[in-house]
Structures are given as structure tokens and as C-alpha cells.
Amino acid sequence: MLLTSILFLLISNAVSLRRDISILFNRVAIFILFYVILHEVISLSILNKGIGLYSNLLTITNITQIFHIFIFFISILILQLTSFFPRKVLLPAHSWYNNLFNYRIVISNKTKHLNKMGEHLKIIEYPLIILFILSGAVFLMSTSDLVSIFLSIELQSYGLYLLSTIYRNSELATTGGLIYFLLGGLSSCFILLGTSLLYANSGTTNMDGLYIITSISDVSNNVQFWYKPNYINFSLLIFTMGFLFKVSAAPFHFWSPDVYDAIPTIVTTFVAIVAKISIFIFLLELVYYTSSFFFEENTLSSSSNWTFILLMSSLFSLIIGTVVGLTQFRIKRLFTYSTISHVGFILLALSISSIESTQAFIFYLIQYSISNLNAFVILIAIGFSLYCYHSNNKEYRELLDISNSPVQLISQLRGYFHINPFLSLSLAITIFSFVGIPPLVGFFAKQMVLSAALDNGYIFLSLVAILTSVIGAVYYLNIIKEIFFYLPEYNLDPNFSKNSTTDLGVSAFNPGHREIVMSSSISLTISIITLVITLFIFINTEWLSMGTILVQILFKT
């Protein structure tokens, strides 16, 4: 369904002469993803332990299906940002509860401040590229062959390179996308080198064959003559380095702050979240099937296992993501280092590879993806809500690419609680979840990872994770301080009252700044995710049960 939809969207984009109908293409992409989710849900009840497709080129399991649904759902929420106009006029005559869905959207080319046709609403290729990325992500999570692994990760990566530079008039976005492309090509070289080394030693490109070789418990001397344990260990280490680069795990993180800060915020939302989910699910299966080498007891210590690089990367990510984040004054760079710190927790759970740690890994990955999405959507909504305000601060007015990323500095959030208290409280709840304040969902995720680490003897890494969480709260609380403990530097634009809209069906109406509100899609997304983060303690049964069932299926197979 995804590939068929990509073909039709490609033809539609080729014959379309109007760029102002991109909203239609985004809505079509949302319907496509809903249809694909329906197919996944139907097939979810059919499969039990999994099935191999195309001579085991792809392997579909319950874990991959659940995360297919999850990644499609996240993409739908992100596509909403470009599928509807960001603001609407709240007309008093249509604001009664029985006319809740009859609010009129402002459609006026004369109204400059409402920015009817912003840059993000004129890119018809945007949903097409997102579907390409999702195709690569779906294949990567389900792949079972070294060749298809490389093709899948490149399909996903090429789409991300294009998506980063899709704002053609933005010099910053072009620069960020070019950096991403050049350094992403370097990481692909590591993946390809590891693939070639694995094939040279094992003689097969099928991952099932590799898993069988690494799980043999009784090996004769003849097999040890041609099979070199150190060789495959080294190959997997190089292979994994390329994937750690793509999820911006330290010490391979150096590209992500510059890229995430340079590209527009709407694009950053997709690049920073969706690109990581598929890679982590692939690494989950790779770690599970290769964590018990037959040669570990005889020739190598446990620290020589290739998964040791995951532990080291987890340590570096926790430290670098926290310490360097303390010096940041740009909001998206701060979120980037926050992501690096949380990747450290995910890698810690991934490298332990026990039943408890795998359950913690799945739970942490899901909750952090949702929380990170909420933080970026709120940041975008804050930018949309400031369109009728202006500041005398010269630094704010001279920011580059401010039309595509209105909020770039942490200081731009100063006193925002006095402008929009609801968005401020939602952002505060999300940030407290990042910190790990109970009873928010982030607390339970960190508690599960730390519990699994302590049970398996990783005391030092657990202490580092606890200390970095406490230290990281400093830069999170700095955002809270800016929002709630200062007066705003913004004033209403004096030109705003001079604008007038067309006749909206009741009378000529000159909206004030309080009549211009966020669209229902953005408001509902923020509200629902914030409630899930806040009320998780009351709705945790289904979420935790799903993780438990998936882990039991994985470890029983």
C-alpha cells in the first residue's frame, strides 16, 4: 500500500502546477497511513511467532508490526502540522457547544499576519518524501538480510537528506542538509564495510544464518579452523558504529546539533523522532540473537563482546548529552543534547538484553518518542501563536530563517506564561517528564531502565545515569524559569488592529488577538499527549501489558 501510494503521489506531483494544494497531498498521505495501520492491525491477529517473506528477505513479527503501527501513528501526528491551517478565527456566533466544529477558518489573502500560505504549506513533495522514509523504516525493522539492511537504511537516509533541504529558499536548511548528507554517507561506509566483513567470514548474507553461527554451543575444531570469533565480533562492532551515528549517539553525535538547529522546526520534528525508532528496533533483534556467542566462555571476556560498544556509547551519551547541554542557549540544540542523553538510557537497556531490560527498552522508546513529539509540536505552536506580537529585542528580529523557525532561542520563551498559560503548562509537564519527575511517564521509564541495570550488575552505569539525570534537570529548569518567572518582552503588533478579514458569513469581522486561536488539530494533539504523559499512572495497564507480551514472544522464539 505504501509503495502504490508513493507511485500515485509521484505522478500527481509531476502533473500538478499549483503548489498551494500541498495541504491536499498531506491529507491524502494521512488517509494512506490510516489504511496501512488498518492492514497491520488485521494481520496482527493472524501472526504469532512471525513469518518470513521473499525467501526470508523480510521477517514479520509481532514486535515489528507493533512498531510499524507506532511509526505510522507518529507520522500521522507530524503530518497534521502541514495538513491544516495553523490558526483559525474563533467567532462568538459559532462558539456554542453545539457548533463546536463549525468554526470558520480564516481565508484571506489580504491578512498578512495570518500567513495563510507559509512556506510549510507550499511544498507538495513533503508527504511523498515522508512516505519514502517510512518505506525504508518499515523495511529496516523487518529486514533479515545484510543486503536489504543496507538498501533499507539508505532508502530511509536519502529521504531524510532530501527532507532536510526541502525548504529551498532557506540557506540554513540547505547547509544543515548538506552536512547531514556528507556525514551520513560516512556512516553508510561503516555499515557497508561491516556488511562485507560479515559476509567474508560467515559466507552468507542472511541474518538467520549469522544468528545460527553465533548461537552454536558445541563447536568442533574443524569449524573453529575457518570461523574466527574475533573477526565476526570486530565486524559487528564496525557494523554497529554506522547505526550509532545515524541515531546521534555519542561519540558519533557531532553532526546532530548543527543539523537539527539549522533545518526548519517542522522538519526537525520528523528527523529527530522517526529516524531513530526503526534503527533501534533493528538493533534490538540484532543484539538479542547475537548476545550469546559460543566462544565467549572460552576465548573472549564479556567486555570483548561487540555489544560492549553499546555500553560505552551509552556512557558517553549520558555524560555528553548532559554536560554539553548545560551551555546551550538555543532551544533546538538543547533538545538535541537532551535526545542524546535519553539515547544513552535506551542504549543501556538495549545492551543488557534481558527480559526486564527489553521491556524497559520498548517502554522507554515509545514514551520518549511521544514526549519528544509533544515538545516539538508545542514549540511549533508557540511560534504560530507569536505572529501578532513583536519584540523590541534586536537579536530576535535578526535571527536567520525566522519565518521557518520562529522560536530559536530559549530567551524567546521569556514570560510566555502570561501570553498563553495552557501551552506553557503543557511544555512544563513535558519537560518534567524528560527530567523524570513522578508520577509522569518519564519517571517510570527511567525507573525501569535503572532497575534492569542494577539487577544485572551495571552499578557504575546506573550511578552515572542517576547523576546525569539530576544534572540535566538544570537546563530543563532553566526553560521553566524563563517561561514562568519573568514578564514577557512581547507587545501586540500595532499593525494588527488594521487588518481585516473578508466576510465570514456573519458580518465583517476584525479579529483581536484573543479571537485568533490554534487550529483544532494542533490543540487536540498537544492536549491528548499531555494528558497521556500526566495521567499515565491511571492508564498504565494496557501499555505495560503490551510490552510484557512482546518481550515474552521474543524470548520464547
Side-chain angles (χ1 to χ4, degrees), residues 390-403:
H390 74 95
S391 174
N392 295 324
N393 192 320
K394 184 179 179 182
E395 183 183 11
Y396 298 167
R397 297 197 302 268
E398 293 180 351
L399 289 172
L400 296 177
D401 205 23
I402 194 169
S403 60

Side-chain angles (χ1 to χ4, degrees), residues 132-133 135-141 143 145-161 180 184 187-192 195 239 242-247 274-276 278-280 282-283:
F132 269 114
I133 297 172
S135 300
V138 167
F139 289 144
L140 181 61
M141 285 189 280
T143 189
D145 193 274
L146 292 173
V147 176
S148 60
I149 288 171
F150 181 74
L151 294 177
S152 301
I153 190 64
E154 288 307 291
L155 177 59
Q156 174 179 297
S157 299
Y158 286 158
L160 292 172
Y161 304 150
Y180 192 12
S187 68
S188 298
C189 292
F190 281 100
I191 295 175
L192 197 57
T195 299
F239 186 70
F243 287 101
L244 291 178
F245 182 98
K246 292 186 180 295
V247 297
V274 176
K276 293 179 172 58
S278 58
I279 295 176
F280 276 126
F282 166 73
L283 289 178

Side-chain angles (χ1 to χ4, degrees), residues 210-226:
L210 183 65
Y211 299 153
I212 292 172
I213 292 174
T214 56
S215 63
I216 297 176
S217 58
D218 186 15
V219 183
S220 64
N221 292 330
N222 292 332
V223 175
Q224 290 184 356
F225 175 76
W226 63 266

Side-chain angles (χ1 to χ4, degrees), residues 71-119:
I71 204 172
F72 292 146
F73 178 71
I74 292 290
S75 301
I76 287 173
L77 296 181
I78 296 175
L79 279 170
Q80 281 190 110
L81 300 173
T82 51
S83 299
F84 304 93
F85 292 107
R87 291 172 291 268
K88 62 184 179 183
V89 174
L90 184 63
L91 297 177
H94 294 266
S95 61
W96 299 102
Y97 70 93
N98 57 349
N99 286 327
L100 184 64
F101 298 101
N102 289 333
Y103 292 162
R104 303 299 183 89
I105 297 176
V106 172
I107 305 177
S108 173
N109 292 321
K110 299 178 181 178
T111 308
K112 177 182 177 182
H113 289 282
L114 294 182
N115 190 19
K116 176 187 175 237
M117 289 308 298
E119 184 71 17

Side-chain angles (χ1 to χ4, degrees), residues 378-536:
I378 292 173
L379 194 64
I380 293 169
I382 290 174
F384 285 143
S385 67
L386 291 176
Y387 75 100
C388 59
Y389 293 87
H390 74 95
S391 174
N392 295 324
N393 192 320
K394 184 179 179 182
E395 183 183 11
Y396 298 167
R397 297 197 302 268
E398 293 180 351
L399 289 172
L400 296 177
D401 205 23
I402 194 169
S403 60
N404 296 323
S405 299
V407 181
Q408 299 181 23
L409 305 176
I410 298 176
S411 58
Q412 287 181 269
L413 301 175
R414 179 166 297 176
Y416 186 74
F417 176 75
H418 300 280
I419 297 176
N420 193 324
F422 295 105
L423 277 180
S424 301
L425 289 173
S426 297
L427 182 58
I429 291 172
T430 306
I431 288 175
F432 283 139
S433 179
F434 288 159
V435 176
I437 302 296
L440 303 178
V441 66
F443 165 77
F444 296 99
K446 289 187 176 182
Q447 185 267 338
M448 290 175 67
V449 174
L450 294 174
S451 175
L454 289 172
D455 289 345
N456 288 271
Y458 295 93
I459 299 176
F460 175 73
L461 274 174
S462 300
L463 290 175
V464 171
I466 294 172
L467 289 175
T468 52
S469 295
V470 175
I471 297 173
V474 174
Y475 59 70
Y476 288 125
L477 293 178
N478 182 43
I479 301 177
I480 302 296
K481 183 185 72 173
E482 292 285 344
I483 294 175
F484 292 93
F485 293 93
Y486 292 101
L487 292 175
E489 298 180 350
Y490 295 96
N491 300 308
L492 280 175
D493 192 331
N495 296 322
F496 181 74
S497 59
K498 299 178 182 179
N499 294 320
S500 61
T501 62
T502 56
D503 191 342
L504 296 175
V506 286
S507 62
F509 182 67
N510 293 322
H513 70 284
R514 296 192 181 279
E515 281 77 27
I516 309 298
V517 297
M518 287 292 102
S519 66
S520 299
S521 60
I522 297 177
S523 302
L524 286 174
T525 300
I526 295 174
S527 302
I528 293 174
I529 297 179
T530 304
L531 287 175
V532 170
I533 294 172
T534 308
L535 304 177
F536 169 77

Side-chain angles (χ1 to χ4, degrees), residues 307-353:
T307 56
F308 187 67
I309 190 178
L310 300 179
L311 288 173
M312 295 304 299
S313 180
S314 171
L315 177 63
F316 287 133
S317 298
L318 289 169
I319 296 174
I320 293 176
T322 301
V323 175
V324 183
L326 293 173
T327 63
Q328 302 304 313
F329 60 92
R330 297 181 67 87
I331 184 69
K332 285 198 290 183
R333 291 181 72 93
L334 179 63
F335 281 169
T336 304
Y337 282 105
S338 166
T339 299
I340 294 171
S341 177
H342 287 276
V343 164
F345 276 93
I346 296 174
L347 289 175
L348 177 59
L350 177 64
S351 57
I352 297 173
S353 190

Side-chain angles (χ1 to χ4, degrees), residues 32-42 69 72-73 76:
I32 290 168
L33 293 179
F34 271 121
Y35 188 75
V36 176
I37 288 176
L38 178 62
H39 272 280
E40 288 285 357
V41 171
I42 294 174
I69 296 172
F72 292 146
F73 178 71
I76 287 173

